[in-house]
Structures are given as C-alpha cells and as structure tokens.
C-alpha cells in the first residue's frame, strides 16, 4: 500500500507542477527557465543574448499579491556591439544609439538596452571609416576615412523615411582632404574646421551640411585641436607632456583670448554652455597627471581628487556643472598623455561623477576591464555609453543601481 501511495503522490506532484507552469505561461507568457535568463550573474549582457522574455518584459504585468518580490531586472551593463564602431551618438527623440560599423562602413542603430539587435539604416557604404562627428540634431555627420592611404572627409546628410522609420542618404559632399580637425557646434547647426594655408592654419565655419563655409581666424601655428565652448570655438595645441601648450577661445567674429598658457600635457573638455571645462595637465616630461575644472576665464574653480585625461570625460547637458569621467585605477609609468594616445599604455577605468559647483565626487562604477573613450549620455541621462578603446566595441551602462 505504501508503494501505491508513493506512486499516487508522484502523480499528484507532477500534475500540480504542470498546472503551475501552465498558469505562468497563460498569465505571463513565460516559463520558469526563461526568467533565469534575466538574472545578472556576471554583471553584463552581450547583444543577441537576450531572450524573448527580455524583449517582452515591459509588457508583462507584475503580480499584485502582497509580499511578492520580483527578482528579475535588466542588467546594468550591456555590450551593444560585437564589432568595432566609430561615431556613436544618440538618435534624437528616441532611446536608440546609431553608429558607423568600422569594417564595412555602414550606418546602424540599436536600442539603448540592446534588446532588439542591430539594424542597418542606410544604404550608403563608407569603407575604412576611422572617425565620425554628428551635428546637434543628429541628421548631419562628417565621416573621416582612408582610401588608398589618403585621408578624406565626407559631409553627409540623412533624412528619415516615415514609412519605414529608417534613414536614407539625402546628399553628401567631400570636404578638403587636408583638414586637420573638425567639430560640430554644441547647440546649433554649424561646424568648424582647421585647414592648413601655406605656413599658417585657417579656421573655417560652415553650415552643418558643409556648405557656406567662411574663414574667421588665422594662426601661424599648426598641430591644433578644436572644440566648441558655447557659442565660441576653442583651440588648443595637440596635447603632449613633452611641450607646453595653450588654450584660447575664438568668437565667430574672429576675436580671440587666451584661456591658459605654458601648460604641459594640456587636454581640455568644455561643457555645452562654455561656462566650465575640465582640463588635464602634467609636469615636465609628462609626469604627475592631474585634473582641474576651470571657468570661461581660465580661472581654476576646483581641483579633482583623481588623475585622468580630459578626453575621457563627458559633461551633462541637463545639469551644467555635472561631469562624468573614466579614471584609470593605476597609471603605468609613462609620458602622458602621449603614451596613451599612441597606444603604448592602456588603462583599466572606474567611472566617477563630479559636481563641478560643489566639488562633490562619487565613484559610480568599478567593474570589468575597460579603457573608456567617447563617453556620452542618453537624452534622459539615465544611461552612459562608451567605447572600449581596446577593441572599439560599444557599451551601455545604467547609471543608477
């Protein structure tokens, strides 16, 4: 009798388990194993690893029974691409990122959490893409690429097709191939670029599609970097710990003023308003890397408690004084920033958030092994995106736990 009772008990347990699984499937559309796919085991998810449950998660109603504690959550860190990319940026008005695939040179987009996978959105191919910058409305880009060993710059405009919600190339023009640097304005549809003219360098401003260019400033110096600082253009000598550098700002009318001078290793990143900048500097021979925040006059407003290169930082657009920086855990002995730019040293970074007004700093991410570059924020500024300099892959990080 005990044997029969045991068999009946096994059958009852199997039936009850089947009923539970069936209830879950009918109510939520998932089985018990699928839920396990969402657990953060290693702190990150790769593209294509997300299950059907992941893509439907937002549409699943949560049970209302008292005491129910959901254990499922989106991973904080997501690898968006397997291949190297250039020019990543947000798609304006959408929770999507677009970028050029480095190898074939196609334009792709992907949702910021990597749920739906990559989608090619243009038939234009720009093989050998090395660098790309975008206008504020994200409809215009300048792509720098190599062909037959010659560097070229292509200004391309994209127009959305409402029927398919994709983008098609509307027009494009080649800019002068000997441009030394090019940037888009922070807040309006203009670009600026430097062009060697004999023994001098001339600063040009043009519309975001590359048309209507005009010269606004000429300098006898070469090897310069450009940035936008509010409605003005910032110029610095290329950063090197082996030579002193300077920073100046140029108005669109052509007047200039010096912001900083005689600083070794100078690298600078202005906020969109042009009211503050984070700078990195060194002592002689590229030693003693340090960071400061300066105002529009070049006056130091804060000393930062870490050492990184200013190009590894990104300013908030919603909070004028908020700054995010990728900071190396250790600095190998080298000449900075030269050794890092040349690739002879690589970093393993933590991510810091800095309030430039109060001086408050907070380390918000310290996992994995990333040398972060090209940092930028989502429109809601709840996610930060970056490229890993080691392989140019694109990653998405939720800023809050």
């Amino acid at each position: 009798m005990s044997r029969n009772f045991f068999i009946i008990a096994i059958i009852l347990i199997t039936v009850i388990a089947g009923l539970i699984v069936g209830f879950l499937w009918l109510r939520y559309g998932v089985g018990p194993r699928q839920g396990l796919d969402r657990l953060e085991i290693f702190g990150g998810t790769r593209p294509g690893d997300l299950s059907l449950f992941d893509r439907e998660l937002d549409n699943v109603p949560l049970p209302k029974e008292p005491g129910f504690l959901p254990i499922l959550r989106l991973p904080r860190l997501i690898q968006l691409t397997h291949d190297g990319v250039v020019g990543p940026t947000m798609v304006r008005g959408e929770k999507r990122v677009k970028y050029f695939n480095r190898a074939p040179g196609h334009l792709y987009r992907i949702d910021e959490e990597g749920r739906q996978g990559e989608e090619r959105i243009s038939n234009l191919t720009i093989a050998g893409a090395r660098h790309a910058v975008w206008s504020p409305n994200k409809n215009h880009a300048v792509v720098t690429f190599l062909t037959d060993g010659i560097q070229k710059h292509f200004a391309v405009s994209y127009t959305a097709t409402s029927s398919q919600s994709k983008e098609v190339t509307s027009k494009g023009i080649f800019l002068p191939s000997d441009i030394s640097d090019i940037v888009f304005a922070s807040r309006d549809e203009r670009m600026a670029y430097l062009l060697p003219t004999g023994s001098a360098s001339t600063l040009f401003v043009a519309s975001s599609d590359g048309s209507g260019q005009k010269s606004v400033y000429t300098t006898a110096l070469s090897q310069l970097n450009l940035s936008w600082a509010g409605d003005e253009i910032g110029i610095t000598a290329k950063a090197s710990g082996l030579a002193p550098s300077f920073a100046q700002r140029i108005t669109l009318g052509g007047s200039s003023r010096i912001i900083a001078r005689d600083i070794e290793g100078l690298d600078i990143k202005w906020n969109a308003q042009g009211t503050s900048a984070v700078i990195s500097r060194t002592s002689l021979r590229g030693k003693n890397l340090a960071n400061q925040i300066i105002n529009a006059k070049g006056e130091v407003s804060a000393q930062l408690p870490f050492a990184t290169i200013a190009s590894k930082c990104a300013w908030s657009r919603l909070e004028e004084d908020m700054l995010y920086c990728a900071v190396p855990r250790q600095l190998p002995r080298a000449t900075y920033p030269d050794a890092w730019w040349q690739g002879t040293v690589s970093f393993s970074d933590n991510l810091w958030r800095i309030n430039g007004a109060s001086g408050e700093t907070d380390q918000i991410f310290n996992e994995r092994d990333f040398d972060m570059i090209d940092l930028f924020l989502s429109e809601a500024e709840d996610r930060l995106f970056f490229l890993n300099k080691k392989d140019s892959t694109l990653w998405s990080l939720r800023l809050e736990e």
Side-chain angles (χ1 to χ4, degrees), residues 383-398:
R383 282 191 171 272
L384 182 140
F385 305 91
F386 63 89
L387 297 184
N388 184 6
K389 188 172 183 282
K390 299 174 182 180
D391 57 11
S392 297
T393 52
L394 177 62
W395 294 76
S396 171
L397 174 69
R398 188 176 69 244

Side-chain angles (χ1 to χ4, degrees), residues 40-44 71-77 113 324 350-351 353 362-368 381-384 396-401:
E40 278 189 63
I41 300 176
F42 298 107
I71 63 171
L72 307 179
R73 62 181 181 136
L74 292 172
R76 187 182 184 198
L77 177 69
E113 293 172 345
Y324 296 84
N350 295 333
L351 185 66
R353 177 168 49 205
D362 180 27
Q363 185 182 122
I364 59 175
F365 184 74
N366 59 1
E367 301 173 17
R368 308 287 286 269
E381 300 199 352
D382 56 347
R383 282 191 171 272
L384 182 140
S396 171
L397 174 69
R398 188 176 69 244
L399 290 178
E400 300 300 331
E401 291 282 1

Side-chain angles (χ1 to χ4, degrees), residues 12-190:
L12 288 175
I13 292 172
T14 303
V15 170
I16 292 171
L19 290 173
I20 292 174
V21 171
F23 171 77
L24 290 173
W25 181 264
L26 290 174
R27 182 168 182 180
Y28 304 118
V30 297
R33 280 299 305 170
Q34 287 177 291
L36 297 178
D37 292 340
R38 283 318 278 137
L39 294 178
E40 278 189 63
I41 300 176
F42 298 107
T45 299
R46 296 191 173 200
D49 291 344
L50 304 181
S51 67
L52 176 63
F53 174 73
D54 302 317
R55 294 191 287 274
E56 299 295 334
L57 185 61
D58 288 339
N59 299 320
V60 176
L62 291 176
K64 297 182 174 58
E65 287 79 9
F68 178 85
L69 296 176
I71 63 171
L72 307 179
R73 62 181 181 136
L74 292 172
R76 187 182 184 198
L77 177 69
I78 300 170
Q79 183 178 353
L80 295 181
T81 68
H82 288 299
D83 300 323
V85 307
V86 298
T89 190
M90 292 301 302
V91 178
R92 193 170 184 179
E94 301 181 27
K95 291 188 175 183
R96 298 174 186 264
V97 183
K98 60 183 176 182
Y99 49 85
F100 292 93
N101 187 293
R102 182 182 290 273
H106 300 146
L107 181 64
Y108 288 85
R109 72 180 178 190
I110 190 170
D111 65 284
E112 62 182 23
E113 293 172 345
R115 298 183 188 183
Q116 299 172 359
E118 297 177 293
E119 181 184 16
R120 181 175 170 180
I121 56 175
S122 174
N123 291 325
L124 177 67
T125 298
I126 306 178
R130 303 181 64 191
H131 180 67
V133 290
W134 291 89
S135 68
N137 69 10
K138 312 304 181 185
N139 292 330
H140 307 277
V142 174
V143 185
T144 301
F145 63 100
L146 282 179
T147 177
D148 297 327
I150 300 174
Q151 180 171 277
K152 295 185 177 181
H153 311 277
F154 189 61
V156 57
S157 301
Y158 293 97
T159 302
T161 57
S162 57
S163 61
Q164 298 180 356
S165 298
K166 290 191 176 184
E167 292 179 304
V168 295
T169 302
S170 60
K171 62 178 180 179
I173 63 171
F174 282 98
L175 300 176
S177 60
D178 51 352
I179 286 175
S180 59
D181 198 14
I182 185 165
V183 292
F184 277 99
S186 304
R187 299 186 290 184
D188 57 18
E189 296 299 308
R190 286 180 291 190

